[in-house]
Amino acid sequence: MKQPGTKIEYSEERIRDLMRAYDEYIASCRHISMTELYKTIVNKPSKRFWVSETRCALVISAIMRGENVLDTMWPTKKEMFLELYHRVKILQQTYPDRTMIDLCTMAINQEAPKFYLSPGTAKVMIVKYRKKWRMEKMKRLRII
């Protein structure tokens, strides 16, 4: 399965999607509780599932073979792969001739019900990226 220290292929896209949820939350509040902010944004819908097609296909195939691959995963990742498993099963009934990688690609490109991150992980990602996000936002608005 996944090797320790492996980087996600879509990390830049994922942080942009997370920052979109961050901005939406900030704009909707009169009073901002940082603890509540991270709990809320990780449960907002994401534009896709943030996992590669290959990783998804490997995990879903293992689940279908009855392997206990979910036992060692963090609860959020386990929940994500179970959701993907259910979506792939539905897609498999609709498109029985498609390969596992095709079905996984279709599933992960659907809107995800949440980010499948812990609030602590979201905090680390946002704090690390916030300055760059602000600079990009100012450039878009032509402030700098």
Side-chain angles (χ1 to χ4, degrees), residues 35-52:
T35 306
E36 199 57 38
L37 176 137
Y38 298 116
K39 286 180 188 174
T40 302
I41 65 172
V42 296
N43 289 307
K44 284 189 163 285
S46 180
K47 67 179 187 177
R48 58 166 283 163
F49 288 85
W50 297 109
V51 62
S52 73

Side-chain angles (χ1 to χ4, degrees), residues 5 14 26 31 35 37 42-43 57 64 75 81 94 104 106 108 114 128 138:
R14 179 175 68 172
I26 297 289
H31 171 73
T35 306
L37 176 137
V42 296
N43 289 307
M64 289 179 168
F81 280 114
T94 308
C104 286
M106 286 189 276
I108 65 173
K114 61 186 198 173
K128 187 175 177 180
M138 284 189 245

